[in-house]
Amino acid sequence: MKEKVEEVLGKVRPFLQRDGGDVELVDVSDSGVVKVRLKGACSGCPGAKITLKQGVERMLKQEIPEVKEVVAV
């Protein structure tokens, strides 16, 4: 599943990079929890939590049903 998650993150990255940020995959658990690290402008952005849940998590859940949650570490 890690490869699938990385593939979907590759689709999300251009949107984050356009605003000076990025996302790095840290881990994917067997229970469907994806751990990511927000980088660049995203790491200190007040809207980072919204970006994580409404952007990254939503897209991952749409494309990979096994994903249950995305958390920032």
Side-chain angles (χ1 to χ4, degrees):
M1 183 162 72
K2 196 169 188 173
E3 293 82 21
K4 289 181 187 178
V5 170
E6 196 64 72
E7 183 179 324
V8 175
L9 288 178
K11 296 176 185 178
V12 175
R13 271 193 189 96
F15 298 104
L16 298 174
Q17 290 171 344
R18 184 176 56 202
D19 293 326
D22 204 350
V23 63
E24 173 189 353
L25 179 61
V26 175
D27 189 38
V28 179
S29 74
D30 293 336
S31 61
V33 177
V34 176
K35 294 180 182 178
V36 297
R37 181 174 295 118
L38 295 174
K39 299 167 66 177
C42 291
S43 66
C45 174
K49 189 170 187 169
I50 293 169
T51 298
L52 184 69
K53 293 296 180 182
Q54 297 298 318
V56 177
E57 182 176 87
R58 187 180 58 156
M59 189 166 223
L60 282 168
K61 284 181 169 181
Q62 281 178 345
E63 298 208 21
I64 309 168
E66 298 87 10
V67 172
K68 302 299 179 216
E69 183 182 16
V70 177
V71 295
V73 294

